[in-house]
């Protein structure tokens, strides 16, 4: 019975054959993990039609052999030189690489190490394409990550009060997530209060939370290598009518986008559903980013739920749905869940309630 990694490499091999490539040089850590199981920080992988060789340094000798089912070369010098030597020894002529993951300086070095007969051919996005649809095991890991993330949020809610610093709150959220099983945050936790919530990617500051302010929290966990991503917007004090109205409009847009997620729908179609809703509420101009993104081993994966991405959704894709609107002075409101495309529609994985949280 081939391992899940061997099965993935077999799917990759048939794509290589279609492109008349004899091998793919894989340089990105998440792609290497996906194809080989190896989780270390320094590696290269060469996948051919019937074999795969992992290159790493002596720090990872034991880890590479226990995690990966590939052949392992422990190189004392640069990994690229070791990989080039292996490619030369196996007389490979057409070797693909992803230009997004191989800096030009390394490309030049590799080209120099390879014999004349070996042609390096750009082959962008092959592994990312395989990663689009998740296996049942991957979805189970995403589900666990989502649950940990939501439990960490719930465990922190009671601490939120005026006077708490944004950075203290971010630290507490990350601490709780780790205590509940997360390996690390999936990205720098966003805690933005008052007018700072108008910056969609605000960094937490030493500012104290204040009464009668919006509070935007965007957090994600990594558990068993897989990510989660959630945003909730809170209000400290008694929200006025405008806050309630804008919040309702964003929630309706988020529900509309979730309603549009099903196999066969396009990524940009889901975005359009959210945008249309906010346009009706007169808020379209304040929605300055796309409606969501794929997630898995990385927190931002394909597809992008935005204009220009015509990817057809398929059962097994994991996505975020996160419309938001931002106004200077007033602040920002965003609501984000992690969802999975099912055979007939979609399942929202995030269990955290979505009504405006008033503290
Ligand atoms: Zn997020
Ligand atoms: Zn997101």
């Amino acid at each position: 019975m081939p391992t899940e990694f061997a099965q993935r490499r077999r799917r990759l091999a048939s794509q290589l054959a279609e492109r008349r490539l004899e091998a793919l040089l894989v340089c990105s850590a998440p792609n290497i993990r996906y194809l080989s199981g190896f989780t270390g920080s320094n590696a290269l992988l060469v996948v051919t039609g019937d074999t795969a060789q992992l290159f790493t340094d002596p720090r990872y000798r034991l880890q590479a052999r226990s995690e990966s089912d590939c052949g392992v070369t422990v190189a004392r010098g640069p990994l690229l030189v070791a990989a080039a030597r292996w490619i030369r020894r196996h007389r490979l002529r057409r070797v693909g690489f992803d230009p997004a993951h191989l800096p030009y300086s390394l490309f030049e070095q590799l080209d120099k190490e390879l014999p004349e007969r070996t042609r390096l051919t750009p082959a962008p996005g092959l592994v990312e394409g395989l990663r689009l649809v998740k296996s049942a095991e991957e979805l189970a890991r995403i589900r666990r990550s989502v649950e940990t993330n939501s439990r960490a949020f719930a465990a922190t809610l009671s601490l939120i009060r005026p006077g708490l610093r944004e950075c203290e709150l971010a630290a507490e959220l990350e601490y709780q997530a780790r205590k509940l099983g997360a390996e690390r945050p999936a990205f720098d936790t966003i805690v933005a209060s008052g007018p700072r919530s108008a910056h969609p990617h605000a960094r937490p500051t030493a500012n104290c939370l204040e009464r009668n302010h919006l509070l935007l929290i965007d957090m994600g966990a990594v558990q068993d290598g897989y990510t989660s991503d959630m945003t909730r917007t809170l209000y400290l004090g008694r929200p006025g009518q405008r806050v309630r109205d804008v919040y309702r409009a964003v929630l309706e847009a988020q529900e509309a986008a979730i309603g549009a997620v099903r196999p066969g729908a396009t990524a940009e179609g889901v975005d359009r559903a959210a945008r249309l809703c906010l346009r009706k509420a007169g808020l379209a101009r304040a929605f300055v980013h796309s409606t969501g993104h794929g997630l898995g081993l990385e927190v931002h994966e394909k597809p992008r739920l935005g204009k220009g991405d015509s990817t057809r959704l398929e059962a097994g894709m994991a996505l975020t749905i996160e419309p938001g609107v931002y106004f200077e002075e007033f602040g920002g409101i965003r609501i984000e869940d992690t969802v999975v495309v099912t055979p007939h529609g979609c399942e929202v994985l995030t269990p955290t309630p979505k009504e405006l949280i008033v503290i």
Side-chain angles (χ1 to χ4, degrees):
M1 182 66 183
T3 64
E4 58 179 327
F5 309 114
Q7 288 171 18
R8 293 167 182 170
R9 293 196 298 272
R10 200 171 292 165
R11 279 160 58 214
L12 177 63
S14 68
Q15 300 225 354
L16 294 180
E18 265 172 41
R19 288 168 179 76
R20 299 180 176 285
L21 292 172
E22 289 174 315
L24 185 72
L25 172 69
V26 187
C27 305
S28 105
N31 285 349
I32 291 171
R33 177 174 187 159
Y34 185 76
L35 294 168
S36 76
F38 180 63
T39 64
S41 65
N42 187 32
L44 289 174
L45 180 71
V46 178
V47 179
T48 72
D50 53 12
T51 181
Q53 191 73 12
L54 181 73
F55 303 85
T56 187
D57 68 67
R59 291 174 301 168
Y60 290 118
R61 179 190 301 276
L62 298 177
Q63 187 181 332
R65 297 215 162 106
S66 70
E67 286 182 337
S68 170
D69 61 340
C70 301
V72 176
T73 300
V74 178
R76 295 213 165 260
L79 301 189
L80 212 57
V81 174
R85 205 172 292 147
W86 192 89
I87 290 169
R88 204 182 317 139
R89 186 150 18 96
H90 286 76
R91 302 183 166 279
L92 300 173
R93 287 165 187 271
R94 286 179 55 86
V95 177
F97 70 99
D98 190 333
H101 305 308
L102 186 66
Y104 188 67
S105 57
L106 293 184
F107 169 84
E108 277 188 313
Q109 191 191 344
L110 179 65
D111 199 38
K112 226 168 29 197
E113 294 288 336
L114 289 170
E116 196 91 332
R117 63 168 184 270
T118 303
R119 273 239 327 264
L120 286 169
T121 308
L126 291 189
V127 188
E128 283 79 358
L130 297 179
R131 283 167 53 192
L132 270 172
V133 173
K134 273 69 185 175
S135 68
E137 171 58 26
E138 289 184 288
L139 291 176
R141 289 181 182 203
I142 291 170
R143 200 180 285 272
R144 280 201 291 276
S145 176
V146 165
E147 276 159 16
T148 295
N149 200 41
S150 283
R151 284 172 62 202
F153 178 77
T156 308
L157 262 185
S158 64
L159 299 176
I160 298 178
R161 51 174 168 70
L164 186 69
R165 294 182 192 281
E166 289 177 353
C167 53
E168 288 174 317
L169 176 50
E172 186 66 30
L173 290 163
E174 293 176 9
Y175 171 68
Q176 290 295 339
R178 275 186 190 260
K179 280 219 299 187
L180 291 163
E183 289 151 32
R184 57 186 164 89
F187 51 88
D188 289 338
T189 304
I190 296 171
V191 172
S193 62
R196 284 189 51 77
S197 60
H199 302 266
H201 268 190
R203 281 184 190 285
T205 66
N207 291 356
C208 292
L209 307 187
E210 282 180 46
R211 207 153 247 302
N212 297 320
H213 267 177
L214 283 165
L215 171 62
L216 188 149
I217 296 174
D218 189 350
M219 59 189 289
V222 180
Q223 188 160 349
D224 292 333
Y226 281 77
T227 58
S228 49
D229 191 0
M230 170 177 83
T231 307
R232 288 295 181 264
T233 306
L234 301 79
Y235 195 85
L236 273 67
R238 207 134 74 109
Q241 197 56 44
R242 173 139 173 85
V243 168
R244 289 190 180 280
D245 288 348
V246 174
Y247 193 92
R248 178 125 316 271
V250 174
L251 183 53
E252 279 172 14
Q254 206 244 5
E255 298 282 10
I258 288 172
V261 174
R262 73 183 84 84
T266 62
E268 61 185 354
V270 175
D271 177 67
R272 215 177 302 122
R275 228 162 272 281
L276 199 65
C277 225
L278 288 170
R279 188 172 308 140
K280 282 185 192 148
L283 296 168
R285 281 172 59 86
F287 179 22
V288 296
H289 50 73
S290 54
T291 293
H293 50 86
L295 93 179
L297 284 170
E298 291 174 280
V299 75
H300 289 116
E301 295 188 359
K302 289 178 183 174
R304 189 179 72 89
L305 303 182
K307 204 173 169 191
D309 191 330
S310 57
T311 305
R312 294 246 169 233
L313 302 187
E314 287 177 53
M317 289 183 177
L319 310 165
T320 71
I321 305 290
E322 51 176 309
V325 296
Y326 310 89
F327 298 97
E328 222 176 321
E329 311 279 307
F330 173 85
I333 293 177
R334 176 165 74 246
I335 304 166
E336 175 180 30
D337 286 332
T338 300
V339 309
V340 172
V341 186
T342 61
H344 302 291
C346 109
E347 181 192 348
V348 178
L349 299 186
T350 309
T352 307
K354 284 195 280 202
E355 288 308 313
L356 178 62
I357 300 165
V358 176
I359 288 172

